Amino acid sequence: MTDFVIAGPRHALLPKLSLLRRIYLPRTADAAAFAMSTYGIPLIVLATTQSATLTGIAFALEWVPRLAAFSLAGQVVDRHGTKRVFRIASVLRALAVVAAAFVLPTQAGGVGATVTVMALAAITGVVTEFSYIAAETAGATASKDAGDRAHRVQSVLLGIDQTATLAGPALAGFLLHWVGVTGTLLTMAACSLLGALLAPWHREPRLVPPAAPALSGLRTGWKTLTSLPALAWLVTGLTVSNLATGFLQAAAPVIVVQHLGQSSAAVGLIWSAAAAASLLAVAACRFAIDRLGLWPAGAASAAVAALAGLAVSQAGDYTRFLVMTAVLMAGEGGMTVVLRTLRSHLIPEPVFGATLAVTILVMLLPFPLAGILVALTPATAIGHVLTACAGLQAAGLTAAFWRLRREPAMRATRTASSAPSLGEPQPQ
């Protein structure tokens, strides 16, 4: 029989397992599958169809179903628990990827191959969001239990994500270049199955919300988000910023392979370098939050992201494109530590899944739009659109952090756990 211990303020029973086994290892497996599918599938589409337009459409198809699944995913996690949802989603993603791995070699290009890779993008987009919401909810509960060390737990989780982003795109590009589409897809499936085997354990809230329509969960999450001004302004700034980031991600295979004459492995190298820079930024941001508070750390990260976004749009060769992209993603990484720390403290536990789903839904709305923009933009005009998006990113981040300087939650030197002075609504 498994030994159990009392953990957390509500004295929920948990298996006697470390955070490494309960939270960090499942998150690592899921993040690897997430990174390989998010960055690898557009490369697979480009390799299969040789079409920049279809690559942009595939990027949009990855994100549109994800957005549609968010409100439902939050409700399902709140209702049925993280472990069950995480495991089912991971298995479904593995099955979809394995099916595509066996179907694509029989198509030999043409319409059948195009339909298969587009369907793969849509299916993996949906199930990935269920596993992601489940993993985020488990991590947020661990952060709440950590009290004023919440930002340390969140920085570890973000470090896991960035490490997966470092290895995932490079591995996907390498596998696609050397062993082809089938080997790449089977590796993605293996990561998904490993995540299903591990599955996160954590303290589940005692209060389980009754079953309700998906729109009800969306309304609950939106009401909670708008009642937290610090979180709402930060989400607004990051949403505007994500248009530039999304366009860069969607256009990168086309820019690097077709404009700069590099290989698919070179595309993976860019995102791996970006993830390495983000890991350094995460460590620096945690240090800055400890000593300066959330707003200075977030504002500095926003400035780095805004300036790098403008610079990457002017990069004329592969080396500068890689370096500026890495700096941009480092700034994004620092802002994400601030977002996750604030989010884990301010959102009441009984509605965390629904509110988390809404915040992510809002922030990711620009990504399918970015894919559509890439599909509609002539190849010669991609640089001009990227410059316009970078200008909008700089303006949005400046406005958001200018407003956030007045928020008590952002001025705190260290985000105290459940402190009323931070404006956190108390769970009912």
Side-chain angles (χ1 to χ4, degrees):
M1 182 178 293
T2 305
D3 292 330
F4 286 85
V5 295
I6 301 297
R10 296 189 180 181
H11 307 293
L13 290 176
L14 283 176
K16 190 185 293 183
L17 299 171
S18 67
L19 272 176
L20 176 65
R21 171 59 185 87
R22 290 191 290 114
I23 303 295
Y24 297 150
L25 285 179
R27 180 60 168 264
T28 299
D30 186 67
F34 182 101
M36 289 190 70
S37 62
T38 299
Y39 295 98
I41 288 177
L43 284 173
I44 290 173
V45 173
L46 186 62
T48 303
T49 66
Q50 302 298 318
S51 169
T53 298
L54 289 178
T55 301
I57 293 173
F59 189 86
L61 281 176
E62 276 192 287
W63 288 103
V64 170
R66 292 183 184 187
L67 299 181
F70 265 121
S71 60
L72 178 60
Q75 274 198 301
V76 169
V77 169
D78 284 340
R79 181 69 184 170
H80 297 288
T82 58
K83 185 176 182 181
R84 180 185 300 177
V85 174
F86 184 93
R87 181 163 285 166
I88 292 173
S90 297
V91 170
L92 290 176
R93 179 172 54 204
L95 291 175
V97 172
V98 168
F102 283 99
V103 169
L104 278 175
T106 67
Q107 300 301 311
V111 176
T114 300
V115 170
T116 300
V117 292
M118 293 301 183
L120 177 65
I123 293 170
T124 56
V126 171
V127 296
T128 291
E129 290 320 312
F130 281 86
S131 67
Y132 178 76
I133 292 291
E136 278 287 279
T137 302
T141 302
S143 295
K144 285 181 180 290
D145 292 341
D148 62 2
R149 297 170 64 86
H151 64 281
R152 294 180 179 271
V153 175
Q154 288 297 326
S155 66
V156 172
L157 293 174
L158 184 56
I160 290 171
D161 288 347
Q162 295 300 335
T163 300
T165 305
L166 188 157
L171 181 59
F174 175 84
L175 290 172
L176 188 60
H177 184 71
W178 292 105
V179 300
V181 171
T182 301
T184 305
L185 291 173
L186 290 178
T187 305
M188 293 181 193
C191 291
S192 293
L193 290 175
L194 180 60
L197 179 65
L198 295 172
W201 289 82
H202 77 107
R203 173 178 58 81
E204 299 278 6
R206 284 183 179 178
L207 297 177
V208 178
L215 286 179
S216 175
L218 196 61
R219 285 193 297 268
T220 298
W222 179 257
K223 183 178 179 180
T224 305
L225 175 62
T226 54
S227 71
L228 303 169
L231 186 60
W233 274 102
L234 185 56
V235 166
T236 300
L238 288 173
T239 299
V240 175
S241 176
N242 280 346
L243 180 61
T245 304
F247 189 87
L248 179 62
Q249 289 183 8
V254 179
I255 293 172
V256 174
V257 175
Q258 295 189 349
H259 293 186
L260 301 179
Q262 303 293 321
S263 68
S264 59
V267 181
L269 179 61
I270 287 176
W271 299 119
S272 295
S278 294
L279 282 172
L280 296 176
V282 167
C285 191
R286 186 175 75 172
F287 180 87
I289 292 172
D290 275 335
R291 285 153 181 79
L292 302 174
L294 289 171
W295 189 86
S301 299
V304 169
L307 293 174
L310 292 169
V312 75
S313 66
Q314 304 301 315
D317 58 69
Y318 177 76
T319 300
R320 281 187 288 176
F321 187 81
L322 183 151
V323 171
M324 289 299 100
T325 299
V327 175
L328 168 60
M329 299 311 294
E332 294 277 350
M335 288 189 290
T336 304
V337 174
V338 174
L339 170 68
R340 290 187 173 188
T341 302
L342 199 64
R343 189 171 63 193
S344 67
H345 280 299
L346 295 186
I347 301 176
E349 210 169 285
V351 293
F352 187 89
T355 309
L356 173 66
V358 169
T359 63
I360 300 174
L361 172 63
V362 171
M363 288 173 57
L364 296 185
L365 282 173
F367 282 85
L369 175 60
I372 294 170
L373 280 176
V374 171
L376 296 178
T377 302
T380 56
I382 282 181
H384 299 299
V385 176
L386 185 58
T387 301
C389 291
L392 186 61
Q393 176 188 42
L397 289 176
T398 299
F401 277 91
W402 181 257
R403 176 62 178 79
L404 283 168
R405 79 193 192 284
R406 298 178 179 175
E407 292 295 331
M410 296 295 291
R411 291 203 305 266
T413 300
R414 179 181 289 180
T415 308
S417 61
S418 302
S421 62
L422 297 184
E424 177 182 353
Q426 299 303 306
Q428 299 298 313

